[in-house]
Amino acid sequence: MYKKILVIVFLFSVTIQSQNVVKGKLVPPKSYEWIVLYQLKGAKQIYIANTKIKDGSFLINMPSTASNGMYRLMYEMGGNNFIDFIYNNESIELQFNPENLQETLQFLTSEENKIYTKYLRENSTIQHKIDSLQLGYFNLKTQKEKEEVAKKYKEAILKKDSIQSYYEKKSEGKLANHFIHAGKIYSAPEIIATAQEYLNAEKSHYFDSLNMEDQVLLNSTFLTERIMDYVFYLNVSDDVEVQDALYKKAIQEVLQKVTQNISYRSELIATFLYVFSQQENAVVTNYLIENYYSKLPQEYISQEVISQAKENIKLAIGNTAPEITWKEEGVTQTLSKINKADTYILVFWSTGCSHCLNEIPKLYEYTKDNKEVHVIAVALEEDDKAYNNYAKIHVNWSNVLALNKWQNPVVKQYKIKATPTYFILDKNKKIIAKPDHIEDVKKFFEH
């Protein structure tokens, strides 16, 4: 009986000890109170657990069902206040200074993460040197200077190749190997003469080390982050139409590489939709829905994703402004049918807003005698007392009373968060500008 009890106790002890944990220490502790654990998968950040930070220390029990892959510890929302680490069914202990994360992050256990962290630091340092030499080369005047920089560049390339080979070999058989191999950023073997040639080379070789079918990479956000960098940082123009064309071309190039894994393709397109719709880029958002998302197999399409994207771009420049209905001298008026000018200023304001009381009189003086511009002023009010007084002053405007202020349906439809808020519409009531202040309104018309 005694032996049976010992066996049970031993088995119970082994079970308890076998649970993997993530243990960390903030040095110094600072004032951070909570840390949250997410799993990074595909294009998603999946919540796993959270715990309180006590005296700078924390401990999170990894669920027994936790799959191997990349995870994220976030100790403050926003910014770069997070640590990504590889989980491969082992406990992990780390420490860091939250105010200087990149320089101080140290894994006390886990060979996976020790190797990967060292690789990231060394690779980043040499890549920064290579980039600095290459970009500085474009501004050099003399042949001697160019030859000296070209020599240093080749030396740096050799060192970079050496670092890459060393860490790829050192990480063989580990999950870290997948990320290290994919982390190799292309650099030309010899320095490039012109900026355009450099950009062309960067773009044409960008995906050389990225295996879009690597399941380990897919079970992280590694591929998604690299893809987003390609679309948004290697395809840039100051011209809006050219920029949208570059975005479309980049998206097409990326999605041509992601054809086998439909689930990831769906997540990736949904991520693009979220980003572009948040930017109120109606052109690219509609392009994504019509040409890619709606053409996925039905089981991979979420109507909620489509609805949210369309809701986000509802007030984007180029779209028709949502309908507004009001009474004017007893006659029902609608925004879509009003025909008083070639251009309209739709302004949401309130008699209880100090900024409005400063800007609205200026706007009235600026527009009252301009027959080409008509103002539709929507006042967010609790009652009509103050509104009626101002309506008598703003006789050349269309004055609209929006009772219940922020809860008014029109106010909600236009997503008004502050007053005054301006929209400039063309004759057909399409949104053509969204100035922030009265001075921006004037600049639009005087440009």
Side-chain angles (χ1 to χ4, degrees):
M1 181 69 177
Y2 178 71
K3 289 183 179 179
K4 286 183 179 180
I5 291 172
L6 281 179
V7 169
I8 292 169
V9 170
F10 174 76
L11 290 175
F12 179 76
S13 174
V14 168
T15 302
I16 293 297
Q17 292 175 3
S18 68
Q19 182 171 21
N20 293 320
V21 301
V22 180
K23 182 180 180 182
K25 188 172 183 63
L26 284 67
V27 183
K30 298 295 181 181
S31 59
Y32 300 103
E33 297 182 354
W34 289 89
I35 197 157
V36 184
L37 176 66
Y38 297 94
Q39 182 180 11
L40 305 179
K41 193 169 184 179
K44 297 178 180 178
Q45 182 172 282
I46 304 167
Y47 170 81
I48 301 297
N50 71 78
T51 191
K52 196 170 180 62
I53 299 172
K54 297 179 181 178
D55 300 322
S57 299
F58 65 88
L59 186 145
I60 297 177
N61 292 312
M62 292 295 291
S64 59
T65 56
S67 58
N68 295 341
M70 192 70 78
Y71 287 73
R72 172 169 293 172
L73 289 167
M74 187 170 290
Y75 52 93
E76 186 176 51
M77 302 304 290
N80 294 314
N81 299 313
F82 60 81
I83 297 166
D84 290 348
F85 66 93
I86 299 168
Y87 178 69
N88 194 6
N89 198 31
E90 62 177 352
S91 290
I92 294 168
E93 185 173 358
L94 61 126
Q95 67 179 34
F96 61 97
N97 180 344
E99 305 300 325
N100 186 20
L101 178 61
Q102 299 304 320
E103 299 296 326
T104 62
L105 176 61
Q106 181 181 3
F107 284 90
L108 306 178
T109 64
S110 173
E111 283 303 305
E112 292 271 6
N113 288 287
K114 287 181 181 179
I115 292 170
Y116 189 46
T117 301
K118 288 178 181 177
Y119 165 75
L120 289 175
R121 282 188 183 137
E122 291 187 32
N123 190 52
S124 175
T125 299
I126 193 64
Q127 188 64 53
H128 178 72
K129 183 176 182 179
I130 289 169
D131 292 341
S132 296
L133 289 167
Q134 174 63 81
L135 296 175
Y137 184 86
F138 300 139
N139 298 318
L140 297 179
K141 303 298 181 185
T142 69
Q143 186 61 31
K144 184 180 179 181
E145 287 176 319
K146 290 181 178 181
E147 288 174 357
E148 289 176 354
V149 170
K151 182 182 177 182
K152 291 179 181 178
Y153 178 89
K154 290 187 76 170
E155 291 171 353
I157 289 292
L158 290 174
K159 184 174 182 181
K160 176 186 174 181
D161 291 342
S162 175
I163 290 170
Q164 188 70 31
S165 297
Y166 172 80
Y167 281 100
E168 284 189 11
K169 186 174 181 179
K170 190 172 180 63
S171 63
E172 282 181 0
K174 300 181 183 299
L175 288 183
N177 184 263
H178 296 257
F179 298 103
I180 289 170
H181 178 76
K184 183 179 181 180
I185 297 173
Y186 174 79
S187 295
E190 294 189 5
I191 206 156
I192 296 174
T194 69
Q196 189 58 55
E197 288 177 306
Y198 171 69
L199 180 60
N200 292 342
E202 288 283 294
K203 292 181 73 171
S204 62
H205 291 280
Y206 188 86
F207 295 97
D208 285 0
S209 300
L210 298 179
N211 179 359
M212 296 296 184
E213 306 303 326
D214 185 328
Q215 199 57 49
V216 173
L217 298 182
L218 288 167
N219 285 337
S220 73
T221 56
F222 187 96
L223 287 176
T224 303
E225 289 169 358
R226 290 295 300 276
I227 286 169
M228 291 297 165
D229 284 347
Y230 177 77
V231 172
F232 289 100
Y233 298 118
L234 285 183
N235 297 275
V236 179
S237 173
D238 292 329
D239 183 280
V240 175
E241 290 186 7
V242 173
Q243 178 65 84
D244 286 343
L246 287 172
Y247 282 147
K248 290 178 183 179
K249 187 173 185 294
I251 289 166
Q252 182 183 32
E253 291 168 349
V254 166
L255 293 178
Q256 283 175 347
K257 299 177 184 296
V258 183
T259 56
Q260 300 302 312
N261 191 322
I262 304 301
S263 177
Y264 178 62
R265 184 179 173 90
S266 173
E267 288 180 14
L268 185 59
I269 298 170
T271 301
F272 279 134
L273 280 172
Y274 175 79
V275 174
F276 281 107
S277 68
Q278 285 288 318
Q279 294 176 351
E280 292 192 344
N281 188 323
V283 172
V284 179
T285 298
N286 288 325
Y287 169 80
L288 282 162
I289 293 172
E290 294 166 10
N291 293 277
Y292 294 104
Y293 198 71
S294 64
K295 293 183 178 180
L296 290 167
Q298 283 300 312
E299 60 268 31
Y300 293 98
I301 298 175
S302 166
Q303 291 303 317
E304 184 178 347
V305 167
I306 295 174
S307 297
Q308 187 59 60
K310 288 184 175 180
E311 176 66 19
N312 288 343
I313 63 170
K314 181 173 67 175
L315 300 171
I317 291 173
N319 281 352
T320 301
E323 186 68 285
I324 302 175
T325 302
W326 71 95
K327 292 281 188 179
E328 200 169 306
E329 297 179 354
V331 179
T332 299
Q333 300 282 355
T334 59
L335 178 62
S336 61
K337 298 290 177 61
I338 193 170
N339 185 23
K340 293 189 175 184
D342 290 331
T343 309
Y344 296 83
I345 300 173
L346 174 62
V347 57
F348 290 82
W349 71 293
S350 174
T351 60
C353 159
S354 58
H355 289 296
C356 300
L357 296 180
N358 175 45
E359 293 197 14
I360 294 301
K362 294 178 182 177
L363 180 65
Y364 189 73
E365 286 301 312
Y366 184 70
T367 62
K368 66 178 183 178
D369 297 321
N370 189 339
K371 303 299 183 183
E372 302 298 317
V373 178
H374 184 69
V375 175
I376 301 166
V378 181
L380 285 63
E381 306 295 331
E382 293 296 351
D383 55 54
D384 64 358
K385 293 177 182 177
Y387 162 80
N388 287 333
N389 292 331
Y390 279 95
K392 292 174 183 176
I393 298 171
H394 303 150
V395 292
N396 292 348
W397 288 1
S398 290
N399 295 290
V400 182
L401 177 61
L403 292 172
N404 297 323
K405 297 189 75 169
W406 308 107
Q407 301 306 312
N408 185 279
V410 170
V411 174
K412 286 186 172 183
Q413 188 176 34
Y414 275 83
K415 302 179 184 179
I416 304 302
K417 305 297 182 185
T419 52
T421 295
Y422 300 95
F423 296 87
I424 299 179
L425 317 177
D426 69 8
K427 188 173 184 177
N428 298 314
K429 315 311 179 306
K430 283 191 176 180
I431 301 169
I432 55 177
K434 297 164 70 172
D436 292 322
H437 306 288
I438 180 63
E439 296 306 319
D440 300 316
V441 173
K442 291 179 180 179
K443 284 178 184 177
F444 176 85
F445 288 102
E446 294 166 6
H447 182 67

